[in-house]
Amino acid sequence: MNVDPPISPTSETFWDGTRERQLILQWCTTCDRSIHHPRARCPRCGNADLEWRPHDGHGRLHSWAVHPPAKDDDHGEEVMVAMVDLDAGPRMLTRLLGPTEDLEVDRHLRLCWLPLDDGRALPCFELANAASRR
């Protein structure tokens, strides 16, 4: 059973970007640092003056784990989840797609997209040298 992630007023711009396959991150205009996940105030300085900037979709693998299917999902598959250090600064919890046999910390990753039922897409990552099929 797939459940599309909820949209809040704070995350609406982020999710609108995914409809166009664009990763858009918040930036604090005081700290000049990127922020992820979307929120109303900067977690570092508390500033509420945030803006949205596109991200190129490059990062490095920080860690990963296999998430088993839900106990009540007879047809579910394991999901590879990863913590990705985006080149823009923040760390993002996401899915890792594609071949995973050569995983190691600090491997270069690139953005790829997993379509959702409502027209949005989930930003995921794959090894930078993997052939993109999405």
Side-chain angles (χ1 to χ4, degrees):
M1 170 175 69
N2 276 340
V3 177
D4 291 345
I7 299 173
S8 69
T10 305
S11 69
E12 188 171 8
T13 300
F14 172 82
W15 288 115
D16 285 347
T18 71
R19 293 180 190 280
E20 304 297 322
R21 305 304 191 262
Q22 294 179 341
L23 182 60
I24 302 172
L25 302 178
Q26 283 181 310
W27 285 78
C28 176
T29 60
T30 300
C31 298
D32 195 33
R33 290 181 155 185
S34 56
I35 300 167
H36 186 76
H37 61 279
R39 54 192 90 198
R41 294 187 168 275
C42 175
R44 292 173 193 86
C45 71
N47 181 22
D49 188 19
L50 307 175
E51 63 185 26
W52 294 91
R53 297 182 188 174
H55 184 270
D56 65 7
H58 295 280
R60 293 180 176 267
L61 184 60
H62 178 78
S63 65
W64 69 94
V66 176
H67 189 280
K71 291 183 181 183
D72 60 350
D73 188 356
D74 294 334
H75 304 291
E77 297 180 15
E78 291 180 335
V79 173
M80 183 72 70
V81 295
M83 294 296 289
V84 175
D85 290 328
L86 299 175
D87 289 352
R91 186 169 287 160
M92 182 179 200
L93 178 63
T94 184
R95 286 182 62 174
L96 195 58
L97 303 178
T100 57
E101 58 272 354
D102 294 328
L103 293 180
E104 57 186 54
V105 170
D106 213 30
R107 284 288 303 266
H108 289 277
L109 301 173
R110 70 169 172 229
L111 183 64
C112 59
W113 298 96
L114 185 64
L116 298 173
D117 293 338
D118 66 359
R120 295 179 292 157
L122 191 63
C124 300
F125 283 81
E126 64 185 356
L127 293 174
N129 60 354
S132 180
R133 293 173 291 283
R134 287 163 275 289

